[in-house]
Amino acid sequence: MADNVWFTEFQTDDVTLGLRVKAVLRQETTPFQELLVLDTDAYGRVLVLDGAIQTTDRDEFVYHEMMAHVPLSLHPHPRRVGIIGGGDGGVLREVLKHPEVEEAHLVEIDERVMAASRDFFPALSVAFDYARAHLHVTDGIRFIQEAAAKFDVIIVDSTDPVGPAEGLFGPAFYQSVFAALGEDGIVVAQSESPLLEPELVKKVQRGLRSAFPTVTLYLGAVATYPTGLWTFGLGSKKPLATPRQVSGLDTRYWTAEVQAAAFVLPPMVRELME
Ligand code: SAM
């Protein structure tokens, strides 16, 4: 490929992120979205859906570790975990680092995302074949509405709120998540950039509050997401206890101390929770 080919993500109508592209590894129209896998010098392999970067080799660990280890360490006994979206497998990999998790159910609507991950992101898809992993190719909204057995933790690892992911950001979904959780249940949902998408951060907080008595958010720094500063909304059936001591996790961003710091919020973020 010529050496001056660039991928441009329009993060808003006025802001872009550009990456020089070494190779286009896959480009396809799935039944749900435009899927692109790029190879880049800056971030390694990059998964793009409908023009928005989902994950990259270089910074994926930040997001996936913070999505998984924060709720799992806050739950007293996380045995059954649901992941809605997350078809790249990164959150599943992190969830299954916890030996007390007996089953993790990944619910991805687009089987082609999982196929792309198997083909190009072996470090992300590594847990697909673990015995404790259960993969469901279906709509996460319906799956949660119809869930018979309760989950201890549900992690909503969705695309931005357009297309099939739109319903994952509304109050009705959080109410069915509440119903699908056991008595100590905790939900975490990626909730976008406080600087560029403050209304979305508020929307997730409002949605969580419509169902859960305890609602908060925490922060992480994901380089390729708009502005880098990212929010994770958290809802809990019980008041949050001191996190369990979780040791032996092989992580590069999450530690118990980083987790504690992630809940220390600047006023510009705190005001989005009101
Ligand atoms: N970490 C990413 C981010 O924040 O950009 C999200 C990664 S993951 C690839 C998001 C996945 O959610 C996509 O593969 C998409 O197909 C899936 N998804 C969207 N709506 C869904 C739904 N209603 N049910 C299940 N999966 C859904």
Side-chain angles (χ1 to χ4, degrees), residues 30 32-33 47 49 52-55 63-64 67 83-89 91 107-114 136-143 156-160 162-168 173 190-192 225 230:
T30 79
F32 297 96
Q33 50 215 342
L47 174 67
L49 293 176
I53 294 174
Q54 303 295 304
T55 196
Y63 175 86
H64 296 133
M67 286 286 270
I83 302 159
I84 307 302
D88 50 70
V91 170
V107 189
E108 164 62 58
I109 203 166
D110 191 345
E111 159 302 297
R112 296 305 300 157
V113 175
M114 291 154 91
H136 309 263
V137 179
T138 186
D139 182 356
I141 299 171
R142 221 181 46 227
F143 181 92
V156 187
D157 182 11
S158 68
T159 35
D160 298 341
V162 284
E166 198 173 347
L168 296 173
F173 176 67
Q190 73 94 352
S191 66
E192 310 278 331
Y225 287 174
W230 211 247

